[in-house]
Amino acid sequence: MTAHYGFTATLTAGPGGGDRLVELLLTGLDEGAPGSSEHCVVYLVSRSASDPDVVHVTEGWTSEEDHHRIFAGEAARAIVARIGGLLAKEAEYTDYVPVYGKAAF
């Protein structure tokens, strides 16, 4: 499948909360979670090299509609709600339209 919609999110945890934030975001790949959907073709969690409490998430989806539909589900809403309690400030989002690239893990 090809990603036709995507975004990056920069999330800043409260002091010392970066590990917990990463753990929680990685549950997004569990069976039944948004990242395990066939419509999610990229789900990458990264940390800032200079600040362990800053976490970046890159997602690529088959379509914007698929992303919104999956994130309207209970599993996604539960993760988002749990993330909110860890953040020191509002998450920053940038949406994009993927052109081409590669992801291999």
Side-chain angles (χ1 to χ4, degrees), residues 2-71:
T2 302
H4 295 283
Y5 170 77
F7 68 90
T8 58
T10 299
L11 306 129
T12 303
D19 288 340
R20 179 68 188 123
L21 181 56
V22 166
E23 288 175 15
L24 182 54
L25 288 166
L26 290 176
T27 68
L29 293 169
D30 292 347
E31 187 174 334
S36 70
S37 165
E38 66 181 329
H39 300 288
C40 181
V41 296
V42 176
Y43 189 89
L44 176 64
V45 177
S46 305
R47 291 184 97 149
S48 166
S50 60
D51 185 344
D53 291 326
V54 175
V55 180
H56 304 280
V57 180
T58 301
E59 295 187 25
W61 291 82
T62 51
S63 71
E64 185 173 0
E65 294 77 20
D66 288 330
H67 170 261
H68 291 304
R69 181 175 45 78
I70 299 296
F71 266 77

Side-chain angles (χ1 to χ4, degrees), residues 77-100:
R77 287 182 295 155
I79 292 171
V80 170
R82 291 172 45 207
I83 287 170
L86 297 175
L87 300 182
K89 64 179 189 175
E90 284 287 318
E92 299 172 28
Y93 293 91
T94 302
D95 63 341
Y96 56 81
V97 177
V99 176
Y100 194 77

